Each structure stands twice: as structure tokens, then as C-alpha cells.
Amino acid sequence: MSEQLNKERKPLVKAVNLKKHFQISRTKTLHAVDDVNFEVYPGETLGLVGESGCGKSTVGNVIMRLLPATGGELYYEDTDIFKLKGEEQKKYCQKMQIVFQDPYSSLNPRKTVKQILSEAYQVHKKDFAGQNIDELVKNLCEMTGIPLNLLDHYPHELDGGMRQVVGIARALSLNPKFIVCDEPVSSLDVSVQAKIINLLIDLQKEHGYSYLFISHDLSVVRHISNRIAVMYLGQIVEIADTDTLFAHTMHPYSIALLSAVPRVNVDKKVERIVLKGDVPSPVNPAPGCRFAPRCWMAKEECKKGLPVTLTEVEPGHLVACPFAHESAENAKNAVKHSLQ
Amino acid sequence: MEEMKKTQVSSEEKEVLVEIKDLSVTYKSERATVYALNGVNLVIHKGESLGLVGETGAGKTTTAISLLRLLPRNATITGGSIYYDGESVMDMTEKQIRQKRGDKIAMIFQNPLTSLNPVFTVGEQIAVLLRVHRGMNRREAMKAAGELLEQVGIASYRTGDYPGQFSGGMRQRVGIAAGIACNPELLIADEPTTALDVTIQAQILELMADLQKKRKTSLLMITHNLGIISELCQKVAVMYAGRIIEYGTVKEVFAHPAHPYTRGLLEALPNLEKKQERLHAIPGLIADSQNLPSGCHFHPRCEHCTKRCEKERPEMIRLNDDHYVACFAHEE
């Protein structure tokens, strides 16, 4: 998906200054998501990566309105769906769906596969008037490859992979345009994971879905995404084309994150930047760059709270670091430095 | 396996620390019997790091805990033997094995939140090992615990803190500090970084590699992550349905995987270096350990399956000094 193409097309979903704060006590506010901006274009996959607690799942939940947003707007085509209510809102529910991380807890254990898959049709009865729900469910099974004899089984009788397929089929039941995939493969074994990823890609090719693919696994995200956004402590620090992000990583955090993944390649050992310390708490974060305390190339002004904004450094490549150009060049020297 | 041991001793002059021979373990529940291990043969040499890789239910953890004789009550060892430094683990008395646990053989568990006791300070939990195995008194042991924490990158004044006051990565460091407290000969790490983030995982792996090098400890690294094995271990054993199906040096096995399952695993991984068109999924499901397939356990999922694979169970075949595989396709 080239950037020129993106410029000509209108985004399907656009988040503007998305915010989600949790009030923990009178003085403490947890900034789970802070001023997150991104666009998802029709038919593309935007990968959202980051470590646990960085707010990536919260972004998914806020978009699906499973959590009310603290601030910001979310446009579906031209409508700000956070402002909609009642029937209007219900209409947009059909367009946006979510696949959850854990296929064990996201399926109701007291319902059969058939009941799970037909539930959405019953909720949106009016829109499916005159259609045979059994037929619709059968179509879903054909699309996703669920054997029809499993329809009368309960979730616990299925293996993890098949359960996740049911989760995906449920998300597809209302013909959505946009699907949030919240770590859909992280609880699965490698061989099953490959099947689910292939299924998601096949479905996208056939039906043109847009995905927001949330994951902590960089290699999975690289495989499935057209563009990738890297999150750190509630903010997007870098966003770019998949190939650009891997070839010209700019933000010091993204560089460290990429270098930290253990690789199977036995011939090529990658130089590694090991970050010191843990991810700091997102409660009442200090102004300025949130990565500064762990940053391997932080300058005096970074630590003093120099404001950072996501700025375009080349077409379609946005980085939230004023020294990004240096960091990319310094990466190699710094690697040696931090290893000493 | 016998031959394998000999060749390796002669070629690398390494002493055998652990030898598991034809080990079979079953778990019984009211309704079913789970065949967790079905003839595991494995050798760990002194000072070597061995990675044990496999998917959920392959028997990785069962192998490790049988070595420490920590199997739960519903488990039965139905056959085979385990030798630790020449001694039969199964013939040891409870007292003897207790002296080994935590002293000669230490284990780091997957979930640092559940493996530490929340009502004791981390210092006390490390110190108790030293008091039991080294006969130190409370004060000496606490001081030593502080030094151990320093070694894994935690300030020594934190010995008085409880596990709940540490982050996930730091708790795992505490687990490692406890693991290395008595300077064990063998450290078993059961998915030590699975619950951690990649940047924290990188810290822990660096720490373990460092400690292993310095102390010349043997390491049994259990993981489903092939990347970790490739970076941390010299040898790798691939498990499937309670058997080791491929064994060798990491270099050999990852560069020339011989078993169709190992090949499948490597191909199913999305590559970080370059974008592939499509992932290769291994057809079928992981073998049901309550109802194992006949012959080679992998045959229902194997694209090279022959009549013989359905009936006979392949034994380990030597490909070269650094590489062994249990597959008929490699017989001369």
C-alpha cells in the first residue's frame, strides 16, 4: 500500500486526539491513552505494537466503545461516532467489530457455536428480516472454514485455534468494514497461529476488510500489516509503512524494541540495545517525552521535559522524537556503547 | 542414544550430567489417562545449555519436573530411568532428593507471580535456601541474598520488600537470584520469559547468558520460542507428543531441520527479516495425548507419511555427530 495511494483515498476510520484516562484517586490519573491519532484506510491493516500496559488494547476498546473515551473524536468515514446515540449508534456497530485475545474467555460457555454465531443476527433483527438465520450462520461457517458438524458443540469441546475461528466468524457476522483484532493469536501455538493469520489475510483479500491489528509480537505484525504504529506509555511514538519502519527505524524506542526480539536466524546475530529498567507508571506522567527516562540517547533537554509531537519526517513516516534523524544514525554506535 | 552419548563424550570430552533413558509418564484422572511422556531420551552435559522446545502439551514441563521428582500425585512413571551425575534419581530417598533440589538442581518457573510466596520478603525466600543447604545463619544468609540480588541487577536494600512490590521483570530476576543462590550444577528454566515483554525479556536473557558463562552452570531452557533457543542455547531438543523427535546443536538443527515437524515449526514462524507471501501452517492438530496416534506420533500431520510410519515408531537416527532425528525418511 503506497503512501501516494493513501493520500488519494479517504480514511475509513480516523482517530483524532483519542484520550482515555482512568481516575484512580482524587489526585492520581492513569493516562492509558493520550492524544492518539491515526487513520485506517479501506482494505488495509494497521498494526499497533507495544509492550504490555502501553495502552494498545485500551485503544481497541475505546474505538469499539467498550470503554467510554475521555476525549477525542473517532470518525467512521465522515461521522463522529462518539457523538451518536441509540439507533444511530447501533447502525455503526454493524460496521465495526472486534476479535478478542483469549478465545477461552470471550465465548459464552453455555451457548453452542450456532447460538454464538446467530446472536448478532437476533440483536439486529430488523436488518435481517426475511432472511433465514440458519442460512446466514452456514454462510459464515463456509467463509471461515468451521465444519458444520461443530455447530451444536459448546466452546469447551473445541481446540484453541477453532475457538478463535469462531470468534472471528462472530465478528464477521454483520458484514463489518472494520475489525479490531486484539492480540488474536497470542494465546495460540505457533502452528495454529499460522493458520489463523492466513485466514485473516484470506478474508481481507476476499472481502476487503480493514484491520486494526493489535499485538506485542513484532514478527506477526510485520507479516500482516501494511502500516505499523508503535506505542509507548499511551502515545504513538512512530508510525510508518511496514517496510519503511523496519528499514529506517527512527524512534529510539522502536529501534530498541526491534533489536530485542530473539531471532531464529543462526547466521546473523543482531546487535541488541537492552533498555535499562522497567516501563514507568502511566499514573500522572511528567510532561515531555515519556520514553526519556529509559532512552539510550536522551539529551539533557529530553529529561527536562522537552515537548515532543508526532511529526512527519518523510512522506507517511511520523516520529515523535526531535532527534530522530540522529538516532537512526547513532543507532549502531549506541548499540556498542550500551553493550559495554 | 547410547551411541550418541559415547560419540559426544569422545568428540567434545564433555561429562554427562543428566541422562534420561526411555522415560514414560502418565497422568491419570477419573475418566482418562494422559500419556505425557512416551519414551524420552535426553542427555545434558556439564556446562552446556540445552533448549527443549515444543508446543503446548508436548511434555516439556513434565520432563523437567520428573527430573526433580516433583511430579504431582496423579502422575505415574511407567518406565525408564533418570540418572543425575551417575545416581539414579528414582532410587534416591526423599531426603537425598531434597538435598539436590535448590542446591544442585534449581528451577526457575514460568510465572514469577505465582512461584514466589507473597507473604515472605524476597530476601527471606532466597535466604532460606542458603540456610537449608549451606547452613548459614539468618544474618549471613540475608547478606548473601542481598549480594545475589545485586548480581541480577536489583539493589540489595530491597531484600526486605515483598514480591508484590516488584514489577514482573524484577520478580523474575528474584526467581533467577533464588535459582543461582546455591550455585547449582543444573539450572532448569521453564519458560522464564513467556510472561514478560520483549524489552524485559532481552534483559533477562542477557542476564542468564552472562551467568551461565560465568558460573559454567548447565542450563535446561524450556520454551516454545525458537528465537530464544537460537540465541541462548548450544543444543536443542524438539519434543512432540511426549517424545524427542530431533536433537542436535542449534546451528545444525535450525539450519538443516531434518524432521518434518521441526521444519513445519520453523516455517510457521513469521519472519522478522523479510516479508513472506504466506505462512506455512502444519495441517491437523497437535496429537491428543489421551489418544495417541499409532506408529510415529506425527504421522497424521506429516506430508511424507508412509505405511511404515503408521505402524512403527521411529527411533533416533544419527545423521552426524551434531544431529539426531527420529524419522524413517533419514534411514540409509
Side-chain angles (χ1 to χ4, degrees):
Chain A
M1 196 123 335
S2 80
E3 282 306 312
Q4 278 82 10
L5 255 174
N6 278 342
K7 286 235 164 94
E8 285 158 27
R9 293 190 308 170
K10 279 178 81 180
L12 180 71
V13 172
K14 186 176 173 188
V16 181
N17 293 334
L18 211 60
K19 266 195 197 84
K20 177 69 202 172
H21 296 174
F22 295 95
Q23 201 71 41
I24 307 178
S25 71
R26 205 184 294 163
T27 51
K28 285 181 179 167
T29 312
L30 189 149
H31 295 234
V33 176
D34 246 350
D35 289 324
V36 162
N37 294 287
F38 62 82
E39 285 129 26
V40 183
Y41 294 89
E44 83 158 355
T45 303
L46 175 69
L48 192 59
V49 289
E51 298 180 274
S52 52
C54 74
K56 52 192 191 314
S57 286
T58 310
V59 168
N61 287 334
V62 167
I63 291 177
M64 295 308 300
R65 277 164 307 159
L66 297 171
L67 288 171
T70 310
E73 291 130 42
L74 183 76
Y75 294 94
Y76 180 88
E77 284 166 344
D78 291 317
T79 327
D80 180 359
I81 57 167
F82 284 165
K83 292 210 176 78
L84 300 177
K85 286 200 178 84
E87 277 301 307
E88 279 276 289
Q89 194 183 34
K90 206 170 159 185
K91 215 172 78 195
Y92 280 94
C93 282
Q94 296 189 23
K95 308 274 191 225
M96 300 168 73
Q97 288 293 325
I98 184 165
V99 177
F100 293 98
Q101 168 168 10
D102 182 5
Y104 293 82
S105 60
S106 61
L107 300 177
N108 188 338
R110 298 174 62 163
K111 286 190 170 167
T112 61
V113 172
K114 193 174 174 182
Q115 286 169 324
I116 290 168
L117 293 182
S118 52
E119 200 174 357
Y121 297 121
Q122 271 145 15
V123 173
H124 295 271
K125 237 184 260 162
K126 278 186 209 152
D127 300 285
F128 292 92
Q131 295 187 53
N132 186 342
I133 290 183
D134 284 358
E135 276 304 311
L136 291 169
V137 170
K138 260 182 205 159
N139 284 344
L140 267 184
C141 291
E142 267 163 42
M143 252 168 87
T144 50
I146 301 173
L148 291 177
N149 62 350
L150 290 184
L151 279 178
D152 293 323
H153 287 248
Y154 287 91
H156 75 264
E157 297 172 279
L158 315 178
D159 64 277
M162 194 43 84
R163 256 181 265 207
Q164 195 55 290
V165 176
V166 173
I168 292 171
R170 177 177 62 181
L172 300 181
S173 56
L174 297 170
N175 303 319
K177 288 272 171 49
F178 174 74
I179 301 166
V180 176
C181 303
D182 187 0
E183 305 253 19
V185 294
S186 48
S187 60
L188 306 173
D189 273 314
V190 190
S191 66
V192 185
Q193 169 181 306
K195 262 179 239 171
I196 299 291
I197 293 174
N198 286 340
L199 174 67
L200 284 170
I201 294 176
D202 290 346
L203 287 167
Q204 183 174 46
K205 272 190 194 143
E206 210 168 308
H207 304 276
Y209 301 125
S210 300
Y211 294 137
L212 176 68
F213 194 91
I214 301 170
S215 177
H216 67 277
D217 188 333
L218 279 158
S219 45
V220 170
V221 170
R222 162 156 216 190
H223 184 78
I224 202 168
S225 310
N226 304 107
R227 288 188 305 135
I228 295 178
V230 181
M231 261 187 107
Y232 186 78
L233 268 187
Q235 295 178 324
I236 291 181
V237 294
E238 185 161 7
I239 185 166
D241 265 338
T242 303
D243 293 333
T244 316
L245 187 83
F246 278 84
H248 310 290
T249 325
M250 303 272 275
H251 196 280
Y253 175 65
S254 318
I255 295 173
L257 189 68
L258 290 185
S259 80
V261 181
R263 287 153 210 248
V264 174
N265 199 332
V266 277
D267 307 318
K268 213 170 103 193
K269 290 279 179 211
V270 181
E271 294 262 37
R272 169 165 300 166
I273 298 171
V274 177
L275 294 176
K276 302 276 178 322
D278 286 306
V279 182
S281 152
V283 177
N284 296 346
C289 176
R290 292 186 183 176
F291 183 57
R294 289 177 86 199
C295 185
W296 45 274
M297 56 164 287
K299 306 189 176 208
E300 276 309 304
E301 51 258 58
C302 298
K303 288 180 177 157
K304 281 180 187 145
L306 181 78
V308 285
T309 43
L310 206 56
T311 36
E312 196 159 26
V313 288
E314 52 187 317
H317 190 168
L318 283 75
V319 183
C321 177
F323 308 108
H325 281 286
E326 288 174 45
S327 78
E329 284 160 27
N330 289 352
K332 272 184 194 157
N333 305 334
V335 170
K336 281 170 202 145
H337 206 72
S338 75
L339 287 176
Q340 274 163 9
Chain B
M1 216 59 193
E2 200 57 45
E3 184 199 68
M4 169 173 137
K5 188 182 121 195
K6 270 180 219 149
T7 49
Q8 270 168 4
V9 171
S10 59
S11 67
E12 296 170 29
E13 303 202 355
K14 269 188 178 172
E15 279 177 82
V16 173
L17 183 67
V18 174
E19 189 174 12
I20 299 175
K21 274 189 192 162
D22 216 17
L23 185 70
S24 299
V25 172
T26 60
Y27 291 102
K28 274 211 172 72
S29 67
E30 259 173 56
R31 280 192 223 150
T33 309
V34 175
Y35 297 92
L37 298 187
N38 307 293
V40 169
N41 288 301
L42 193 63
V43 170
I44 306 172
H45 297 99
K46 284 191 180 159
E48 164 184 280
S49 61
L50 171 74
L52 194 56
V53 64
E55 293 180 284
T56 317
K60 310 183 293 284
T61 304
T62 305
T63 309
I65 59 179
S66 6
L67 190 60
L68 280 164
R69 250 181 49 194
L70 284 174
L71 284 170
R73 260 199 212 152
N74 64 341
T76 337
I77 296 179
T78 49
S81 50
I82 306 170
Y83 292 95
Y84 182 83
D85 220 0
E87 275 180 272
S88 167
V89 172
M90 286 170 205
D91 296 332
M92 286 180 196
T93 61
E94 194 57 32
K95 199 178 162 194
Q96 282 171 318
I97 186 79
R98 255 193 214 175
Q99 280 168 352
K100 290 264 186 294
R101 284 184 206 141
D103 184 7
K104 294 278 192 309
I105 315 172
M107 186 152 174
I108 300 169
F109 293 91
Q110 173 169 4
N111 192 342
L113 187 61
T114 51
S115 61
L116 292 171
N117 191 330
V119 300
F120 288 98
T121 65
V122 297
E124 281 170 324
Q125 294 185 55
I126 299 171
V128 71
L129 284 159
L130 295 163
R131 289 169 63 194
V132 170
H133 293 298
R134 293 284 176 272
M136 288 186 191
N137 65 32
R138 184 180 281 270
R139 191 175 294 161
E140 285 169 354
M142 274 308 238
K143 195 166 160 260
E147 283 161 12
L148 282 162
L149 285 183
E150 293 263 331
Q151 279 193 34
V152 294
I154 299 175
S156 58
Y157 68 86
R158 299 206 61 179
T159 43
D161 286 350
Y162 291 88
Q165 291 166 280
F166 291 88
S167 65
M170 281 173 103
R171 264 181 229 142
Q172 196 55 289
R173 284 156 188 268
V174 172
I176 294 175
I180 59 171
C182 296
N183 218 347
E185 296 171 324
L186 174 66
L187 189 60
I188 303 171
D190 187 2
E191 306 255 13
T193 58
T194 307
L196 306 174
D197 283 313
V198 270
T199 58
I200 309 296
Q201 169 173 293
Q203 293 172 359
I204 299 285
L205 292 181
E206 196 183 51
L207 175 72
M208 291 186 63
D210 201 40
L211 289 170
Q212 204 240 337
K213 223 185 262 169
K214 266 190 215 147
R215 294 172 171 244
K216 306 239 181 322
T217 312
S218 303
L219 178 69
L220 177 63
M221 182 80 189
I222 298 173
T223 179
H224 64 271
N225 189 329
L226 297 162
I228 292 179
I229 299 229
S230 151
E231 301 217 339
L232 196 68
C233 303
Q234 290 123 32
K235 297 264 177 71
V236 60
V238 185
M239 277 193 98
Y240 186 80
R243 279 176 78 78
I244 309 264
I245 51 111
E246 189 158 0
Y247 171 88
T249 58
V250 167
K251 247 191 171 147
E252 260 298 306
V253 174
F254 283 11
H256 314 286
H259 199 283
Y261 177 66
T262 318
R263 275 205 297 274
L265 268 187
L266 286 166
E267 281 166 21
L269 277 181
N271 195 329
L272 201 59
E273 319 286 335
K274 59 172 196 280
K275 197 160 181 163
Q276 315 99 301
E277 250 325 283
R278 204 175 162 75
L279 296 177
H280 175 91
I282 304 174
L285 299 174
I286 296 164
D288 179 5
S289 50
Q290 294 182 18
N291 193 4
L292 285 170
S294 60
C296 172
H297 293 156
F298 188 63
H299 88 255
R301 303 175 75 184
C302 184
E303 40 198 13
H304 310 290
C305 172
T306 62
K307 283 243 163 69
R308 191 175 170 204
C309 302
E310 289 168 22
K311 284 180 207 134
E312 269 180 69
R313 192 186 270 181
E315 291 301 323
M316 272 285 186
I317 304 164
R318 176 177 172 276
L319 298 177
N320 57 46
D321 278 356
D322 294 332
H323 203 165
Y324 297 80
V325 68
C327 180
F328 291 128
H330 293 275
E331 270 181 352
E332 273 129 314

